[in-house]
Amino acid sequence: MRDWGIEQKWMSVLLPLLLLYNDPFFPLSFLVNSWFPGMLDDLFQSVFLCALLLFWLCVYHGIRVQGERKCLTFYFPKFFIVGLLWLACVTLGIWQT
């Protein structure tokens, strides 16, 4: 894993999230008459889409920077912006469910 590029490291995160994006608990909505399966679906969709946005932000900014990526100056602003979007997506999705 030390020799992996930034894209390969991100794919190890995005591929499991893609499985969750496909709503693996969909049959649970037929078995349980509750808000919980819909909330899980909204949560998984917003996590995947925000992780995908974070991936593209880091890749494109990484192409521009070409240097060392310090956590505080490189990743923190992106996590903050995407975290706010994630919080809004989860809140609106759960509220709609």
Side-chain angles (χ1 to χ4, degrees):
M1 285 181 59
R2 288 183 309 177
D3 297 331
W4 283 4
I6 189 170
E7 294 88 4
Q8 291 169 324
K9 290 177 184 176
W10 273 101
M11 285 303 126
S12 68
V13 172
L14 287 175
L15 287 176
L17 289 177
L18 184 61
L19 290 174
L20 293 176
Y21 179 75
N22 198 20
D23 196 14
F25 298 112
F26 180 70
L28 190 62
S29 64
F30 295 115
L31 298 174
V32 178
N33 189 12
S34 176
W35 54 269
F36 188 68
M39 187 217 40
L40 280 178
D41 182 38
D42 292 332
L43 180 71
F44 292 153
Q45 284 183 9
S46 63
V47 166
F48 173 73
L49 291 174
C50 286
L52 191 63
L53 174 65
L54 189 64
F55 164 72
W56 284 115
L57 284 173
C58 290
V59 166
Y60 282 133
H61 191 211
I63 290 171
R64 191 176 67 96
V65 171
Q66 293 289 331
E68 188 175 331
R69 297 174 181 98
K70 295 189 188 312
C71 187
L72 189 60
T73 58
F74 186 78
Y75 290 108
F76 181 71
K78 294 169 190 56
F79 275 114
F80 181 71
I81 291 169
V82 173
L84 289 176
L85 287 172
W86 176 81
L87 187 63
C89 289
V90 168
T91 303
L92 289 173
I94 291 174
W95 185 25
Q96 182 181 8
T97 301

